[in-house]
Amino acid sequence: MTASLEQLRRCHFAVDLGAARTRVYVKGAGLVVDQPSAAAVNTRTGALIAVGELAEKMTGRTPDYIRVVRPVSGGTVVDIEMAQRMLRHLLGDKMRRSLRRKPILRAAACTPHDADPLAQRAAIETLVGLGARRVELVDTLIAAAVGCGLPVEQPEATMIMVCGAAATQVAVLSLGSIVTAERIPVGGEAVDHAIVQHLRHEHELMLPSQSVRPLQLALSGNGLTPHGPASTEIHGRDVATGLARSVQVDTAAVRDAIQTPLTAILDGIGKVLRDCPPDLVADLADRGIMMVGGSALLPGLDQMLREATGMPVRIAERPDVCAVQGLGAMLEGRIEPLALDPLGA
């Protein structure tokens, strides 16, 4: 963990800036923002038209002078100014005024595992622009593990898998620290892209940008496992004629189409286990893998991991908000550090 628990207890609010969604936890108030990381801008005047859910609904439906931008990519802020403007609007005037009353406003933020100094700097600059005088950084893996109730501080292995939109992070934790970890540049967006490409090549069908998630929901439950429905109807636009068209899609073919990104995730899990000390791997045989992050809800993903690794696989109760809830638990002082007192002579 980059910041100590003592430093985090002094923070007033915490931000989890993800590629898909932005979440803000305010000390004493709880989770106050949970919105898509999107902003709609008028390119003629530079004015901000909408943020969050409304901006996401505008994606692919705007005239040429309105552009929907995503200031966060792969867990890293790529447009600091736009991220600041988006956060200001999402927080609202009332919440910003109450935060500004603090004599020295302190903030905490999640950063992906092994984030480079530039990515860390971008996260700090974004929150400094909101008035924070000091910003503490916490590894997303540790924040998510705390948020889903794993015994992070104990001398026993816990394995966590953070399934994000742009990347998947896998780690083994013990004694409050990361023993070994791997960041795989494959996430929910890669799975979406694989489905879109499959429908384009096999059925000559273009999907609206909003409909990939509904496709995954249509395959929910046992959808991406052999026990699910054999086919499902998909609506889209014909590549050649441009007219609306519906096709019956074979779900077995969709499962095959997403094997490439899912295989990359399996390779990452294998590498983490190979780098892990044997004693900790023995712990994991009983405990298994805890899945968090929005893409953990991809139907059938947990079953596929169970079959491939032979380990128990569980999905957290609310996997999408685990990281920010973990930050909140640290801010509120609900996490007690393991006391390792040096032995006397």
Side-chain angles (χ1 to χ4, degrees):
M1 193 186 298
T2 318
S4 71
L5 285 171
E6 191 54 46
Q7 289 170 320
L8 287 167
R9 283 197 188 108
R10 296 186 196 140
C11 293
H12 302 103
F13 72 105
V15 178
D16 177 16
L17 276 167
R21 295 184 79 86
T22 292
R23 299 176 177 94
V24 182
Y25 186 105
V26 174
K27 197 173 190 174
L31 188 64
V32 295
V33 173
D34 184 0
Q35 295 269 357
S37 303
V41 185
N42 185 327
T43 54
R44 292 174 183 168
T45 62
L48 203 60
I49 294 169
V51 293
E53 282 178 7
L54 182 56
E56 189 169 62
K57 284 178 184 170
M58 290 181 179
T59 305
R61 294 181 166 88
T62 58
D64 57 359
Y65 67 91
I66 295 176
R67 192 161 58 96
V68 177
V69 295
R70 291 190 169 272
V72 185
S73 175
T76 303
V77 178
V78 290
D79 186 339
I80 294 173
E81 186 194 350
M82 188 54 67
Q84 288 172 350
R85 292 173 72 186
M86 180 184 78
L87 275 170
R88 282 191 202 109
H89 280 78
L90 289 175
L91 276 169
D93 292 338
K94 186 179 176 185
M95 185 58 73
R96 286 200 349 260
R97 274 198 301 271
S98 72
L99 286 173
R100 277 203 298 264
R101 290 194 195 105
K102 313 290 182 191
I104 299 178
L105 184 61
R106 294 169 182 259
C110 281
T111 54
H113 180 66
D114 280 348
D116 59 58
L118 277 176
Q120 293 179 357
R121 190 76 212 156
I124 292 169
E125 289 287 332
T126 302
L127 297 188
V128 166
L130 287 176
R133 299 282 293 276
R134 185 180 172 93
V135 180
E136 309 291 354
L137 299 181
V138 180
D139 196 304
T140 304
L141 288 162
I142 297 213
V146 169
C148 64
L150 289 176
V152 181
E153 298 290 334
Q154 299 305 312
E156 50 197 32
T158 51
M159 190 169 190
I160 189 159
M161 179 172 159
V162 179
C163 309
T168 301
Q169 302 171 69
V170 185
V172 174
L173 310 174
S174 181
L175 287 172
S177 297
I178 294 170
V179 178
T180 174
E182 188 72 17
R183 187 164 179 258
I184 308 130
V186 170
E189 287 173 358
V191 175
D192 291 350
H193 184 70
I195 295 173
V196 168
Q197 290 303 311
H198 167 75
L199 292 171
R200 184 166 186 145
H201 293 145
E202 297 299 320
H203 299 278
E204 296 186 344
L205 194 75
M206 283 182 71
L207 285 184
S209 57
Q210 304 288 329
S211 70
V212 180
R213 289 292 168 188
L215 168 58
Q216 292 176 4
L217 291 175
L219 302 174
S220 61
N222 293 321
L224 291 179
T225 65
H227 313 295
S231 65
T232 186
E233 189 177 27
I234 302 297
H235 308 283
R237 192 181 81 188
D238 190 282
V239 171
T241 65
L243 299 173
R245 184 161 68 90
S246 298
V247 295
Q248 283 289 334
V249 177
D250 182 18
T251 52
V254 174
R255 282 201 302 276
D256 292 340
I258 65 171
Q259 281 304 311
T260 304
L262 296 185
T263 303
I265 293 171
L266 283 176
D267 290 345
I269 292 173
K271 186 174 187 307
V272 168
L273 290 172
R274 285 194 300 275
D275 293 344
C276 191
D279 290 355
L280 293 181
V281 175
D283 286 352
L284 295 173
D286 302 325
R287 298 177 179 283
I289 304 170
M290 176 67 84
M291 292 173 65
V292 300
S295 300
L297 297 170
L298 183 69
L301 177 58
D302 56 332
Q303 182 63 35
M304 193 201 79
L305 290 175
R306 217 171 275 125
E307 291 168 2
T309 61
M311 293 163 63
V313 177
R314 292 172 298 147
I315 300 176
E317 192 175 335
R318 289 196 61 198
D320 49 338
V321 295
C322 279
V324 75
Q325 293 286 18
L327 280 177
M330 295 178 202
L331 260 62
E332 305 279 8
R334 293 199 296 266
I335 308 301
E336 289 299 323
L338 182 68
L340 292 174
D341 295 324
L343 296 174

